[in-house]
């Protein structure tokens, strides 16, 4: 997981010191921690994101199961880091998280992230309004139920969200979503946007146009977990921004000029 900020420039040495301190304070294994230098940062559009996914799951031999597990684990680690920084005094077992999962791959990432967050001892619940009838997704649901993670039967109102949750994980739509937002997700997005609860979005904020940004004037999350590379819609994003993508092989970084300019912590 990599964290980077677009708010100010840092020297290379100060970034190294900051990242090492984050590793020590959060307890996240250094193998998964790092950060991105904002200079030369590459943003990708929906077409390139689809090409990279297709190549990863084609001749490069990755599977959907593998990429989803990496994405969900990265998201859980980033959320843990974000919560430790933003809510340092609140115990994890009293920190209430609601993961709202859509019917596609972004929803799968959310289910996996919820499972890992529960293993981190956060008080986690899931709302999964349109379950996908494929074995992979059914397996993810079963894994969460084995962890005794509650599944809500109805979407809480914005007032209920405000009273009962400390963080909402937005895993509704990913970069492949396009077109009109339909029910029940239109109402769900409106509820979470008006709740005042901090939101952590996976890859893109749900309902945003991948290439044009927040053209529908929806919520802006406090945290964004970009996957592989940040999408074009995040160019002007000013919140806490994380990146999970250490699985991208060198052949793809060279082919698509994806030099991440990363410093790894060891």
């Amino acid at each position: 997981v990599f964290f980077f900020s677009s708010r100010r420039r840092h020297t290379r040495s100060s970034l190294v010191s900051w990242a090492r301190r984050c590793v020590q304070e959060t307890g996240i294994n250094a193998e998964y921690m790092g950060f991105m230098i904002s200079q030369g940062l590459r943003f990708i559009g929906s077409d390139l994101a689809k090409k990279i996914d297709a190549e990863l799951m084609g001749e490069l031999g990755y599977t959907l199961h593998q990429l989803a597990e990496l994405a969900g684990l990265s998201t859980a680690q980033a959320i843990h880091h974000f919560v430790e920084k933003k809510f340092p005094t609140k115990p994890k077992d009293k920190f209430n998280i609601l993961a709202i999962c859509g019917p596609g791959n972004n929803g799968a990432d959310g289910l996996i992230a919820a499972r890992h967050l529960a293993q981190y001892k956060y008080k986690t619940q899931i709302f999964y309004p349109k379950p996908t009838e494929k074995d992979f997704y059914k397996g993810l649901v079963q894994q969460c139920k084995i962890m005794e993670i509650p599944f809500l039967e109805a979407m809480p109102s914005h007032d209920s969200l405000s009273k009962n949750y400390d963080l909402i994980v937005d895993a509704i739509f990913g970069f492949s979503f396009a077109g009109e937002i339909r029910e029940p997700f239109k109402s769900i997005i409106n509820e979470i946007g008006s709740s005042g609860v901090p939101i952590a979005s996976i890859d893109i904020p749900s309902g945003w146009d991948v290439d044009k940004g927040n053209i529908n004037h929806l919520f802006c999350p406090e945290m964004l977990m970009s996957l592989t590379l940040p999408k074009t819609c995040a160019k002007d994003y000013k919140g806490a921004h994380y990146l999970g993508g250490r699985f991208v092989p060198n052949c793809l970084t060279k082919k698509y000029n994806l030099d991440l300019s990363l410093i790894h912590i060891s």
Side-chain angles (χ1 to χ4, degrees):
V1 179
F2 309 101
F3 171 79
F4 59 94
S5 171
S6 59
R7 293 180 177 177
R8 59 177 179 167
R9 294 185 181 275
H10 303 266
T11 65
R12 190 177 180 92
S13 60
S14 70
L15 282 171
V16 171
S17 299
W18 174 85
R20 291 188 187 279
R21 189 166 62 252
C22 288
V23 172
Q24 293 170 354
E25 292 174 355
T26 62
I28 298 175
N29 191 311
E31 179 183 355
Y32 297 106
M33 275 298 297
F35 55 89
M36 172 171 283
I37 298 174
S38 59
Q39 293 178 328
L41 179 62
R42 175 80 185 274
F43 293 82
I44 61 174
S46 57
D47 289 342
L48 182 52
K50 291 174 184 176
K51 286 181 181 178
I52 292 173
D53 258 20
E55 292 195 34
L56 284 170
M57 291 186 284
E59 61 185 27
L60 296 181
Y62 288 81
T63 66
L64 173 61
H65 301 60
Q66 184 180 12
L67 294 178
E69 189 68 31
L70 288 167
L73 176 59
S74 296
T75 297
Q77 290 170 332
I79 288 173
H80 173 70
H81 178 254
F82 173 77
V83 170
E84 289 282 307
K85 287 185 66 180
K86 189 145 180 99
F87 307 94
T89 62
K90 188 154 188 176
K92 287 191 291 185
D93 61 353
K94 297 185 183 301
F95 194 91
N96 295 284
I97 297 176
L98 176 62
I100 303 177
C101 303
N105 293 345
N106 200 259
D109 299 342
L111 291 168
I112 294 166
R115 166 164 44 85
H116 286 290
L117 288 167
Q119 290 176 319
Y120 295 165
K121 306 305 180 185
Y122 289 102
K123 197 171 180 181
T124 308
Q125 296 182 339
I126 296 170
F127 181 52
Y128 189 31
K130 294 188 72 175
T132 302
E133 294 299 318
K134 292 182 179 180
D135 290 342
F136 171 53
Y137 296 88
K138 288 181 178 179
L140 296 179
V141 170
Q142 179 64 13
Q143 292 162 20
C144 290
K145 290 182 176 179
I146 290 172
M147 289 289 298
E148 299 182 343
I149 302 173
F151 280 75
L152 303 186
E153 294 184 1
M155 176 66 191
S157 68
H158 61 271
D159 288 335
S160 179
L161 291 170
S162 180
K163 292 176 183 177
N164 296 308
Y165 297 98
D166 300 293
L167 183 74
I168 295 169
V169 178
D170 161 34
I172 301 173
F173 298 133
F175 69 80
S176 60
F177 173 80
E180 182 183 355
I181 304 172
R182 298 177 181 175
E183 297 295 353
F185 299 109
K186 183 177 181 179
S187 296
I188 291 170
I189 290 171
N190 288 336
E191 290 290 350
I192 65 176
S194 60
S195 69
V197 180
I199 300 169
S201 292
I202 300 179
D203 210 20
I204 70 165
S206 291
W208 285 30
D209 184 281
V210 182
D211 299 310
K212 299 177 182 178
N214 192 11
I215 59 175
N216 294 316
H217 307 291
L218 304 172
F219 68 85
C220 184
E222 282 72 18
M223 177 195 143
L224 177 61
M225 179 63 191
S226 290
L227 300 173
T228 309
L229 276 172
K231 309 308 179 286
T232 306
C233 64
K235 275 189 175 180
D236 297 320
Y237 177 72
K238 301 300 182 184
H241 197 172
Y242 295 77
L243 173 67
R246 289 185 65 171
F247 53 84
V248 179
N250 289 336
C251 61
L252 284 188
T253 62
K254 292 177 181 178
K255 180 177 181 178
Y256 294 113
N257 190 27
L258 306 179
D259 182 10
L260 301 181
S261 301
L262 297 174
I263 302 172
H264 297 289
I265 307 305
S266 59

